[in-house]
Every structure is written in C-alpha cells, then in structure tokens.
Amino acid sequence: MEFDKYAESYDSSFMGKGSGRFYSDLIKELDINDGDCVLDVGCGTGNVLAFVSKQKKINGFGIDVSPNMITIAQDKNPDFEFVTGDSGNLPYTDESMDVVMACMAYHHFPDQEKFRK
C-alpha cells in the first residue's frame, strides 16, 4: 500500500480508526517507564506515540517509509523525533532505545525483516 497517498485521510479511515483499539493492549504488554526512549517502527501519523505520551513521560522516536506520514506525525507530536526510513536501516545506535514497538506495521515488513535478529 502506498501510504503517502493516504496520509491526510489515514486517521479518519477504517485502518486508522481500527488501529486505535489496539493501543491500550499494546502498552499493557510493554514495560514503558517515565523517561524511556520509545521507538515506533512504522509510526504512520504518530498516533501510538501520542497515546503512550498521555500515559508516560517518554522521549518519542518514530520511523516510517512515508514522508507524508512523517510530516503529519511531526506536526501532531512536535516534541518527538520522526524520520523517514525503514526497519532494515534504522538510524539509531544499538541499545539507544528502551522500548521498540511496531504496532499495526509488522504485516507490511518484507519477510526477511520479520525474522531478522
């Protein structure tokens, strides 16, 4: 799917609205603490990081292949850092993040990325 085309309407779309129902479950499974560096791989419009930041004081980072999604994410979350890129070439050093998540993005990754160690 070409997410640049859908960036402006993503949040109000079926996919955008449907994703929100998983956010509470996601953060229940993660050990996120105040002050943590949290990376959202496939961050889209930044909704998951915005949701988490309402619960915890985090340092948010997001990466997505869609420049248009990144623009929206940055506008919605000006205190966080967002970059255009993919999961195969993360611009972060090893162990620089406390929590890494990929909510509603995993199924879009190439097969080799799903099994990378």
Side-chain angles (χ1 to χ4, degrees):
M1 171 174 249
E2 178 59 51
F3 283 101
D4 267 345
K5 294 179 193 175
Y6 303 102
E8 289 293 326
S9 61
Y10 181 80
D11 288 345
S12 61
S13 73
F14 172 76
M15 286 189 306
K17 289 179 180 177
S19 298
R21 69 184 191 161
F22 297 105
Y23 300 166
S24 292
D25 292 337
L26 175 71
I27 65 167
K28 284 179 191 172
E29 296 298 320
L30 300 174
D31 185 20
I32 301 175
N33 299 296
D34 287 337
D36 279 354
C37 291
V38 178
L39 171 61
D40 185 6
V41 178
C43 67
T45 60
N47 289 335
V48 179
L49 287 171
F51 182 85
V52 172
S53 72
K54 291 177 182 167
Q55 326 267 323
K56 300 285 183 177
K57 273 186 121 168
I58 61 167
N59 299 299
F61 299 84
I63 186 167
D64 199 283
V65 296
S66 166
N68 291 351
M69 291 282 200
I70 289 296
T71 297
I72 294 168
Q74 191 68 71
D75 288 345
K76 288 167 44 174
N77 302 283
D79 294 333
F80 295 161
E81 178 184 300
F82 293 93
V83 295
T84 302
D86 64 64
S87 61
N89 191 22
L90 296 175
Y92 308 102
T93 59
D94 290 350
E95 299 184 28
S96 62
M97 298 294 163
D98 300 297
V99 176
V100 177
M101 58 187 174
C103 181
M104 302 302 291
Y106 186 77
H107 57 288
H108 294 290
F109 296 164
D111 285 342
Q112 67 271 20
E113 284 305 303
K114 293 176 183 174
F115 302 104
R116 184 168 64 124
K117 294 183 181 184

